[in-house]
């Protein structure tokens, strides 16, 4: 029997009840399950006989676990990661076609041991040379993250309510946000200009499920670079307003593919996955992909 190490972000609600349900579900499909809460300090103590990890949480928890895996100096065998998404947006799981509504078929799919390679973005030009799984960018999206920190959101709100609030704030912001200058090269080709949004993405969606790069494949060795200029403002606004009205779809703007990105934004605020970063001055960044550093189980 394969051994699964469950890394669980209990979040709101009864931790013990959630723990028992998750462990019972995993063991019912023929796995040995060990449990650890990511809220406690000992979750990083992974035994050598573990066959794979199970992350039960949202995108932030996935990043937290990925950071630990990437920082480990000695790994006897690469550990694949299985996801039981339970966050607000679950953008990583959505890109991997792992549903959040019914965990049982997800757990059943782990038996086939099908693995999806997942690239990791590397950043030069920031302290400690950070990595990203989802995306890095400038403009209206980091501004949204900043606004949402000051926007009252009830912890009891449903994920749908939280996403709707973020979309409402974003729709207002798109109408008034001033474009800023960005110097950007994609594989040596210059695309510099004035933009409302610049995103270098490794997955299809960011934030409140904004599908800005619908063809993104996190295992293809390529970034998707999304550029939204002044002439595309109305298109982005229409996309967000449609989402608010329940109309699903993707944003079909300017999306480029590339392996090596050099960029510098006029402003000093940016985001790296779910982290908002503010510098004292604009920074020149070099982005590259390290291919296949992670692998995920059960990805469609």
């Amino acid at each position: 029997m394969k051994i699964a190490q469950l890394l669980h972000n209990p979040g709101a609600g009864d931790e013990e009840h959630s723990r028992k349900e998750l462990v019972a579900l995993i063991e019912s499909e023929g796995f040995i399950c060990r449990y650890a809460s990511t809220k406690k300090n000992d979750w990083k103590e992974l035994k050598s006989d573990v066959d794979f990890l199970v992350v039960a949480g949202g995108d932030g928890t996935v990043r937290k676990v990925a950071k630990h895996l990437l920082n480990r100096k000695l790994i006897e065998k690469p550990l694949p990661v299985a996801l039981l998404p339970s966050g607000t947006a679950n953008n990583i799981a959505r890109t991997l076609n792992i549903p959040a509504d019914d965990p049982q078929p997800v757990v059943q799919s782990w038996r086939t041991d099908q693995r999806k390679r997942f690239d990791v973005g590397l950043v030069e030009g920031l302290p400690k040379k950070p990595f990203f799984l989802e995306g890095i960018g400038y403009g209206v999206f980091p501004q949204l993250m900043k606004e949402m920190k000051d926007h009252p959101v009830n912890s009891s709100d449903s994920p749908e309510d939280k996403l709707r609030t973020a979309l409402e704030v974003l729709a207002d912001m798109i109408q008034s946000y001033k474009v800023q200058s960005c110097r950007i090269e994609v594989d040596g080709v210059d695309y510099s200009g004035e933009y409302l949004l610049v995103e270098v993405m490794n997955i299809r969606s960011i934030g409140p499920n904004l599908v800005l790069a619908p063809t993104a494949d996190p295992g293809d060795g390529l970034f998707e670079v999304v550029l939204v200029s002044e002439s595309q403002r109305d298109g982005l606004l229409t996309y967000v307003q449609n989402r608010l009205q329940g109309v699903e779809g993707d944003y079909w703007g300017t999306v480029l593919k590339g392996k090596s990105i050099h960029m510098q934004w006029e402003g000093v605020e940016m985001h790296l996955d779910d982290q908002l970063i503010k510098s004292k001055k604009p920074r020149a960044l070099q982005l590259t992909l390290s291919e296949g550093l992670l692998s995920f189980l059960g990805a469609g």
Side-chain angles (χ1 to χ4, degrees):
M1 296 175 71
K2 289 188 175 181
I3 299 174
Q5 175 68 63
L6 172 59
L7 303 175
H8 175 217
N9 181 358
D14 180 14
E15 177 178 351
E16 287 302 314
H17 180 68
S18 297
R19 168 181 178 169
K20 289 177 181 178
E21 283 193 342
L22 291 169
V23 171
L25 173 61
I26 293 169
E27 291 184 340
S28 72
E29 296 299 332
F31 302 105
I32 297 170
C33 183
R34 296 176 183 156
Y35 179 90
S37 168
T38 58
K39 298 293 187 181
K40 298 182 178 178
N41 294 328
D42 60 353
W43 71 268
K44 296 180 181 179
E45 298 172 6
L46 304 176
K47 294 184 178 180
S48 60
D49 60 347
V50 169
D51 292 295
F52 64 99
L53 304 180
V54 179
V55 178
D59 294 319
T61 307
V62 177
R63 178 183 169 82
K64 186 176 183 177
V65 172
K67 182 177 181 180
H68 176 58
L69 290 177
L70 296 174
N71 284 341
R72 292 174 73 194
K73 300 300 182 184
L74 297 174
I75 304 178
E76 294 182 7
K77 57 182 178 181
L79 283 174
V81 179
L83 299 183
L84 291 175
S86 59
T88 300
N90 302 312
N91 286 309
I92 294 172
R94 283 173 177 268
T95 287
L96 296 171
N97 295 316
I98 298 174
D101 54 346
D102 187 0
Q104 186 161 3
V106 176
V107 178
Q108 289 174 345
S109 73
W110 301 342
R111 290 191 234 158
T112 62
D113 199 25
Q114 292 183 342
R115 304 186 184 192
K116 169 68 177 176
R117 284 162 46 93
F118 199 101
D119 306 329
V120 175
L122 305 178
V123 184
E124 292 186 16
L126 291 175
K128 299 182 180 180
K129 294 184 178 180
F131 74 95
F132 62 96
L133 303 179
E134 303 171 62
I136 182 174
Y138 308 109
V140 71
F141 181 62
Q143 183 65 27
L144 172 66
M145 295 175 67
K146 183 179 177 181
E147 290 283 333
M148 291 304 295
K149 283 191 172 184
D150 301 324
H151 201 86
V153 176
N154 266 320
S155 59
S156 60
D157 285 350
S158 69
E160 292 78 15
D161 288 338
K162 292 176 182 177
L163 292 175
R164 181 171 184 83
T165 298
L167 288 171
E168 289 171 346
V169 174
L170 179 60
D172 289 340
M173 193 176 296
I174 289 171
Q175 297 178 66
S176 59
Y177 190 88
K178 294 182 179 179
V179 294
Q180 294 195 57
S181 176
C182 182
R183 292 196 295 109
I184 182 166
E185 291 184 1
V186 181
D187 290 344
V189 180
D190 188 8
Y191 293 93
S192 299
E194 292 191 330
Y195 296 106
L196 182 73
L197 176 147
V198 172
E199 282 292 330
V200 179
M201 299 177 63
N202 191 37
I203 62 175
R204 292 198 290 261
S205 59
I206 59 171
N209 298 148
L210 300 172
V211 185
L212 301 182
T215 63
D217 177 350
D220 66 357
L222 294 169
F223 290 120
E224 319 291 300
V225 183
V226 183
L227 305 174
V228 180
S229 64
E230 180 63 57
S231 65
Q232 296 167 315
R233 182 190 297 268
D234 289 345
L236 181 61
L237 178 61
T238 297
Y239 165 65
V240 174
Q241 289 175 333
N242 284 343
R243 288 284 312 282
L244 282 167
Q245 294 170 7
V247 179
E248 294 296 328
D250 307 329
Y251 171 69
W252 292 96
T254 301
V255 182
L256 312 167
K257 290 182 179 287
K259 286 179 173 289
S260 177
I261 317 296
H262 180 82
M263 61 183 186
Q264 182 170 333
W265 180 254
E266 180 183 90
V268 294
E269 291 180 337
M270 59 180 291
H271 83 93
L272 182 78
D273 287 348
D274 61 354
Q275 301 174 4
L276 185 63
I277 298 173
K278 186 172 182 177
S279 302
K280 293 182 179 179
K281 60 181 181 180
R283 291 178 178 269
L285 304 181
Q286 179 68 40
L287 312 181
T288 54
L289 270 175
S290 189
E291 297 184 30
L293 278 189
L294 300 172
S295 65
F296 287 85
L297 284 180

